[in-house]
Amino acid sequence: MSQATGLLYLVSAALFILALRWMSQPDTAKRAVVSAVGGMALAVGGTLLHPEIVTYKWIGIAAALGFIVGFPLSRVPLTAVPERTGLSQAFGGLAAGLVGTAKYYLWLDQGELTSFRMAVVAGEVILGCLTCTGGLMAAGKLAEVITTRPVTYKGQNIVSFTLLGAAAVLGAWLVWDPTQSWAFPVIIALALIFGVLLILPIGGADMPTVISFLNSYAGLSAVAMGFVLENYLLITAGALDGASGFVLSVIMCKAMNRSVTNVLFGAFGAVQTATQTTEQRTVKSATAVDAAELLTNADSVVIIPGYGMAVAQAQHRVRDLYDQLSKRGVDVKFAVHPVAGRMPGHMNVLLAEADIPYDRLVEMDDVNPEMPQVDVALVIGANDVVNPSARTDAKSPIYGMPIIDADKAHTVLAIKRSMNPGFAGIDNDLYYANNTLMLFGDAKAVIGDVVKQLSGDGATH
Ligand code: NAP
């Protein structure tokens, strides 16, 4: 490795670490993206300076192909980002698998396949291949190209892990005797099949968490690839990727009050998980005029966005509402639940897109003690994250999941299109509460109507 390459790798590793640090706050997130992109550019630049490169022809062709595939993938709408990420991981896994395969046959031919090299190649190929098919399956489930329902059968986990175990045993055998080359394609096949079987029993709605796990596997395969290619930056970046993917998955599981094993093996969504009540209960509905009046007469309003705000793409109308209320001296805050929406940071990204000031965003733990003093909790397309049964009903599938205590506000205004349940498939007592008024309709249209009321000569503070 030349000195220039080493220096570029060092700066690049520092930029990756800073990017992760900055990614943890909304106001530094853009800087984080610039830092990560800069780090990657330097990493690619450093690699291109590598003295071992004899021709740039194939690198150029690969880069052109990558650009042709990657450019349209970068244009997908925000709601399709989870499946796009699944595809990216599939490509990352494929790259690791291919590099490992190439290196195995090259080193085998040259008689340079040491035990250490064989061990990392086997690890890289197993992790890369399972990430490849796992990523494709996750993307397919999210795009609803394949069934989003968990597919289960008896003895499923035993079958899956026997396959993975067999791949690992064959890998170990190759470490012992690398010349048994028939075993190598078998390892690849077993890992590819395991990737499919790993995702089959997981419901479509759990895919964002799974994608985050796959991120972690892709990172680990990159670490192994770094050892294979003796590239220290790949080892560092892969370790960062692997660790951050795992930490993110654990954060998401905790916020849903589910264990990692429940997400991966619980087949959540396979059966009706709710204890559906058969008794007819009534809800009170309100109009945009009622809502406008309630909101302008409030001193404090906490807006709780959820998946429905993303579906309706209502964030810009929400910004208009925020402007109208702030102009009237109402204290408006946004309470964002860590798993609101369908991917980590979903609500933060949408609110940032609508230029909602970051200092108006409050975390669940900070806002909950204030909720009993709040005049109006405005729930926009959120359901599970404000469902009080998480606190009270031990039989509920979301029991124990921390929620935003919208029900404790003086009045709750809840916007959704129907009484249909959310992700967890369960009824929500909040909608039937005495202090709740439902605003039925598409979130964008409903908030648009409320804003119209406020911007006309309607209610004043
Ligand atoms: P939710 O419980 O899925 O509820 C969303 C609600 O939005 C639905 O009840 C739906 O009711 C309403 N809605 C849909 N389209 C709408 C529209 N156009 N206008 C108005 N309302 C609309 O969402 P959430 O409260 O945000 O909770 C997220 C759930 O996803 C949690 O259970 C969480 O565990 C899970 N999850 C999150 C992540 C993540 O990373 N964020 C990952 C995996 C799972 P209608 O159909 O009646 O309109």
Side-chain angles (χ1 to χ4, degrees):
M1 186 167 66
S2 71
Q3 259 190 347
T5 301
L7 190 66
L8 287 174
Y9 280 0
L10 191 69
V11 179
S12 160
L15 286 174
F16 288 149
I17 293 167
L18 286 171
L20 276 181
R21 176 79 196 90
W22 288 330
M23 203 64 89
S24 59
Q25 292 295 330
D27 50 347
T28 50
K30 273 190 188 154
R31 199 192 306 163
V33 174
V34 174
S35 169
V37 171
M40 187 52 84
L42 293 185
V44 172
T47 307
L48 291 177
L49 292 178
H50 218 284
E52 270 180 29
I53 298 176
V54 282
T55 166
Y56 286 93
K57 188 176 119 193
W58 291 107
I59 296 176
I61 292 173
L65 286 175
F67 187 79
I68 292 167
V69 176
F71 186 73
L73 281 181
S74 71
R75 318 299 305 164
V76 299
L78 192 66
T79 41
V81 165
E83 53 252 52
R84 211 281 322 276
T85 313
L87 278 182
S88 306
Q89 273 146 12
F91 289 137
L94 181 66
L98 289 176
V99 168
T101 306
K103 279 292 191 183
Y104 170 76
Y105 287 109
L106 196 72
W107 281 333
L108 188 67
D109 264 6
Q110 296 168 343
E112 290 176 4
L113 205 49
T114 59
S115 301
F116 175 75
R117 282 182 166 175
M118 187 60 238
V120 282
V121 163
E124 178 188 354
V125 166
I126 292 174
L127 282 165
C129 291
L130 75 87
T131 308
C132 176
T133 44
L136 286 177
M137 286 288 293
K141 282 209 175 196
L142 282 163
E144 296 182 21
V145 181
I146 42 182
T147 177
T148 58
R149 285 270 154 220
V151 178
T152 53
Y153 54 86
K154 221 169 153 228
Q156 189 162 33
N157 290 338
I158 297 172
V159 171
S160 304
F161 284 97
T162 305
L163 289 185
L164 184 65
V169 168
L170 285 177
W173 192 28
L174 280 180
V175 173
W176 180 257
D177 180 4
T179 58
Q180 300 291 330
S181 53
W182 62 268
F184 196 78
V186 181
I187 293 177
I188 294 178
L190 289 173
L192 289 173
I193 298 169
F194 177 77
V196 175
L197 297 184
L198 183 71
I199 306 300
L200 265 189
I202 306 175
D206 269 342
M207 280 308 126
T209 321
V210 170
I211 293 237
S212 173
F213 275 116
L214 288 173
N215 205 62
S216 169
Y217 305 153
L220 291 178
S221 63
V223 171
M225 183 155 67
F227 279 111
V228 170
L229 297 174
E230 289 176 13
N231 184 316
Y232 305 118
L233 184 62
L234 255 180
I235 298 173
T236 314
L240 290 172
D241 195 14
S244 57
F246 184 72
V247 169
L248 179 59
S249 318
V250 172
I251 291 174
M252 287 164 82
C253 291
K254 266 200 184 143
M256 293 190 285
N257 195 38
R258 308 204 8 232
S259 65
V260 169
T261 42
N262 178 273
V263 170
L264 291 180
F265 311 114
F268 197 77
V271 286
Q272 188 59 25
T273 40
T275 40
Q276 292 288 357
T277 158
T278 44
E279 90 198 58
Q280 282 294 317
R281 296 196 284 173
T282 49
V283 294
K284 285 178 277 185
S285 55
T287 63
V289 180
D290 304 330
E293 195 164 321
L294 260 168
L295 289 167
T296 43
N297 286 328
D299 285 326
S300 58
V301 170
V302 169
I303 296 180
I304 305 156
Y307 179 59
M309 183 181 84
V311 177
Q313 286 293 295
Q315 61 274 23
H316 295 287
R317 291 291 95 77
V318 173
R319 166 76 211 212
D320 296 341
L321 180 66
Y322 166 77
D323 287 342
Q324 286 293 336
L325 293 176
S326 303
K327 219 164 63 184
R328 287 168 162 79
V330 182
D331 177 45
V332 185
K333 285 182 184 155
F334 292 82
V336 179
H337 191 283
V339 292
R342 288 293 182 274
M343 59 183 171
H346 203 168
M347 297 300 116
N348 300 70
V349 174
L350 293 174
L351 295 175
E353 187 193 312
D355 282 329
I356 302 286
Y358 300 129
D359 62 359
R360 296 283 89 200
L361 269 58
V362 272
E363 305 234 344
M364 175 170 63
D365 293 341
D366 296 328
V367 83
N368 274 345
E370 292 176 19
M371 286 314 288
Q373 286 86 51
V374 167
D375 293 318
V376 180
L378 176 61
V379 178
I380 304 177
N383 191 338
D384 297 341
V385 299
V386 288
N387 190 337
S389 69
R391 282 196 316 254
T392 54
D393 178 3
K395 286 198 215 92
S396 168
I398 60 165
Y399 182 64
M401 168 171 131
I403 58 156
I404 294 176
D405 295 335
D407 57 322
K408 294 191 178 163
H410 299 167
T411 307
V412 180
L413 283 172
I415 304 176
K416 71 200 294 288
R417 298 162 306 179
S418 64
M419 290 305 288
N420 285 345
F423 165 76
I426 49 170
D427 218 0
N428 191 338
D429 286 345
L430 176 73
Y431 304 141
Y432 304 96
N434 275 336
N435 59 337
T436 299
L437 292 169
M438 300 298 295
L439 287 162
F440 286 113
D442 174 76
K444 190 173 177 179
V446 171
I447 299 170
D449 287 346
V450 175
V451 170
K452 244 186 241 155
Q453 289 301 320
L454 294 174
S455 52
D457 51 2
T460 47
H461 198 222

